[in-house]
């Protein structure tokens, strides 16, 4: 907002009050978030004209937002609040993912730990679901913006603190891929792996910073044969993302990757299923039929902890779920 204000005022012909009004909308629930916001944040210059501009924008929101939820601040407070909000949410995800590693090493269950911790009213239960890692267009971008601001202000230790939220997210993806490689007897070369989900979360076709992209890159690096199925992401987007992350042309990527139209098609002759997006569709799949058409032993790596491990065990799968006690049949060395 300060930069825009400087440009407009440098022209000298008009008078503007530039406001900061960050959005807090989540993909998949954007309209509901707009109609029922936790808060509306309006930041402006600490001048009479700035106060007038803030009040006028506030009147627009007052048509459907209670006044007590409209927060008026200076520009820096508004813009920093947006970055800090997403950093705090991402921090919770990285924290529970760090805990998931401890759970796997100790035999604890990350869901039980998260439930116990979340019942503390000072903490709450939201964003305490262990997974292969967060994605989307906001979390990483906003954290890195915060890191840049800290560095530019000479706050190197603070910058490093927030940077570790991103580093922990990258580590979680690497841990997940390592579990797949070790689980399949320390090599995935030439083995078919069915990747279920490519969007960064369910109910969207958005793949920006999706954990699935990095999982695919690493599996391609290990020369696995990957069959991808996502119910919403366009095939062109998948090819584009993989080309961007690998630097390879589509024709070369196709040597390692196939795009399928269903879970069953992706799973045919696969050595392992790998869940990277928490699509509801994946919860209702007949895994007994899927198991019958897979190579044996059949593995399932649940990167979103959405499937019933006990049922999968009874079918015959060797399973891995993040932060859960390890399957005795899973190779870990």
């Amino acid at each position: 907002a300060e930069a825009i204000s400087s440009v407009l005022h440098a022209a000298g012909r008009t008078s503007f009050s530039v406001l900061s009004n960050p959005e807090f909308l989540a993909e998949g629930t954007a309209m509901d978030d707009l109609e029922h916001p936790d808060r509306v944040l309006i930041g402006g210059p600490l001048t009479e004209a700035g106060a007038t501009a803030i009040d006028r924008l506030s009147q627009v929101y007052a048509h459907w937002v209670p006044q007590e939820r409209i927060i008026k601040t200076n520009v820096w407070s508004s813009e920093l609040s947006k970055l800090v909000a997403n950093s705090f949410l991402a921090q919770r995800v990285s924290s529970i993912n760090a805990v998931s590693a401890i759970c796997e090493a100790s035999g604890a269950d990350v869901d039980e730990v998260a439930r116990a911790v979340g019942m503390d009213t000072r903490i709450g239960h939201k964003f305490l679901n262990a997974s292969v890692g967060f994605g989307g267009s906001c979390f990483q971008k906003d954290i890195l913006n915060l890191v840049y601001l800290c560095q530019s202000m000479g706050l190197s230790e603070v910058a490093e603190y927030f940077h570790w939220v991103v580093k922990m997210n990258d580590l979680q993806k690497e841990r997940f891929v390592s579990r797949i490689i070790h689980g399949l007897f320390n090599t995935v070369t030439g083995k078919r792996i069915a990747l279920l989900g490519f969007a960064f979360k369910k109910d969207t076709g958005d793949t920006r910073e999706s954990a699935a992209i990095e999982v695919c890159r690493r599996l391609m690096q290990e020369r696995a044969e990957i069959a991808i199925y996502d119910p919403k992401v366009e095939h062109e987007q998948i090819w584009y993302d993989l080309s961007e992350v690998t630097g390879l042309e589509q024709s070369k990527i196709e040597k390692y990757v196939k795009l399928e139209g269903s879970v069953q098609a992706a799973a045919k002759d696969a050595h392992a299923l790998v869940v990277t997006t928490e699509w509801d569709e994946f919860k209702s799949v007949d895994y007994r039929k899927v198991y019958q058409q897979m190579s044996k032993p059949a593995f399932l790596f649940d990167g979103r902890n959405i499937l019933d491990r006990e049922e999968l065990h009874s079918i015959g799968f060797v399973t891995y779920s993040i932060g859960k006690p390890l399957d005795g049949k899973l190779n870990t060395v």
Side-chain angles (χ1 to χ4, degrees):
E2 277 191 353
I4 294 174
S5 180
S6 298
V7 171
L8 292 174
H9 286 107
R13 299 178 182 177
T14 54
S15 176
F16 289 93
S17 289
V18 179
L19 304 181
S20 171
N21 179 213
E23 53 85 13
F24 295 93
L25 310 178
E27 288 195 50
T29 60
M31 289 307 300
D32 188 61
D33 294 340
L34 181 62
E35 292 176 0
H36 308 285
D38 291 333
R39 77 290 201 193
V40 169
L41 197 53
I42 305 173
L46 298 177
T47 62
E48 184 176 343
T52 300
I54 291 173
D55 285 339
R56 288 184 178 176
L57 182 55
S58 175
Q59 289 168 14
V60 174
Y61 281 108
H63 286 290
W64 76 94
V65 181
Q67 281 291 345
E68 61 270 19
R69 293 193 179 184
I70 300 176
I71 303 173
K72 303 173 184 179
T73 72
N74 65 43
V75 171
W76 266 104
S77 294
S78 174
E79 297 196 344
L80 190 58
S81 295
K82 167 66 173 179
L83 300 182
V84 171
N86 278 339
S87 296
F88 273 36
L89 293 175
Q91 186 180 44
R92 288 172 69 94
V93 177
S94 283
S95 292
I96 198 63
N97 282 344
V99 171
S100 75
I102 302 173
C103 289
E104 291 172 23
S106 66
D109 185 320
V110 71
D111 286 343
E112 294 176 350
V113 173
R115 181 168 179 265
V117 170
M119 290 182 73
D120 187 324
T121 55
R122 298 169 299 175
I123 299 173
H125 66 275
K126 293 183 178 180
F127 284 81
L128 288 182
N129 298 315
S131 69
V132 65
F134 61 75
S137 63
C138 292
F139 280 6
Q140 179 164 307
K141 168 180 63 66
D142 286 351
I143 295 169
L144 294 179
N145 279 340
L146 192 57
V147 169
Y148 171 78
L149 282 175
C150 292
Q151 291 173 337
S152 68
M153 296 172 178
L155 304 172
S156 57
E157 294 85 0
V158 180
E160 185 65 10
Y161 172 79
F162 282 108
H163 201 186
W164 263 104
V165 176
V166 175
K167 291 179 180 179
M168 189 65 228
N169 194 53
D170 292 338
L171 176 62
Q172 186 73 346
K173 288 179 277 192
E174 180 58 34
R175 269 201 341 109
F176 186 63
V177 173
S178 292
R179 286 293 189 196
I180 297 171
I181 296 171
H182 289 312
L184 271 63
F185 310 107
N186 294 311
T187 180
V188 293
T189 301
K191 294 179 180 177
R192 182 176 170 96
I193 297 177
L195 193 85
L196 306 185
F198 202 81
F200 84 90
K201 69 174 185 178
K202 70 173 185 176
D203 299 330
T204 179
D206 193 345
T207 63
R208 286 175 291 181
E209 303 298 338
S210 173
I213 298 174
E214 177 60 16
V215 171
C216 277
R217 186 191 71 81
R218 286 286 288 110
L219 292 175
M220 287 175 62
Q221 216 172 44
E222 298 291 331
R223 301 186 179 278
E225 297 177 4
I226 309 165
I228 302 173
Y229 168 65
D230 187 284
K232 199 163 187 176
V233 177
E234 298 289 341
H235 286 188
E236 291 78 7
Q237 185 63 50
I238 296 176
W239 293 126
Y240 174 81
D241 289 334
L242 293 180
S243 180
E244 283 290 297
V245 76
T246 62
L248 300 175
E249 296 177 355
Q250 181 176 327
S251 59
K252 293 184 178 179
I253 296 172
E254 287 174 347
K255 295 178 181 179
Y256 302 100
V257 177
K258 292 183 179 179
L259 306 185
E260 302 289 1
S262 67
V263 172
Q264 290 75 14
K268 184 173 175 56
D269 298 325
H271 293 80
L273 305 180
V274 176
V275 179
T276 46
T277 309
E278 69 279 18
W279 286 105
D280 291 335
E281 173 184 333
F282 299 156
K283 300 176 186 178
S284 58
V285 169
D286 186 341
Y287 284 99
R288 193 170 297 278
K289 288 184 178 179
V290 169
Y291 177 80
Q292 291 172 355
Q293 63 179 2
M294 292 178 64
S295 297
K296 306 297 185 297
F299 295 83
L300 194 151
F301 298 86
D302 187 355
R304 296 294 174 180
N305 289 0
I306 60 172
L307 303 180
D308 187 332
R309 296 178 75 218
E310 296 304 319
E311 180 184 354
L312 294 170
H313 283 155
S314 68
I315 292 172
F317 282 101
V318 179
T319 66
Y320 167 74
S321 298
I322 290 176
K324 300 284 187 175
L326 296 176
D327 189 323
K329 296 180 181 179
L330 185 70
N331 185 54
T332 58
V333 294

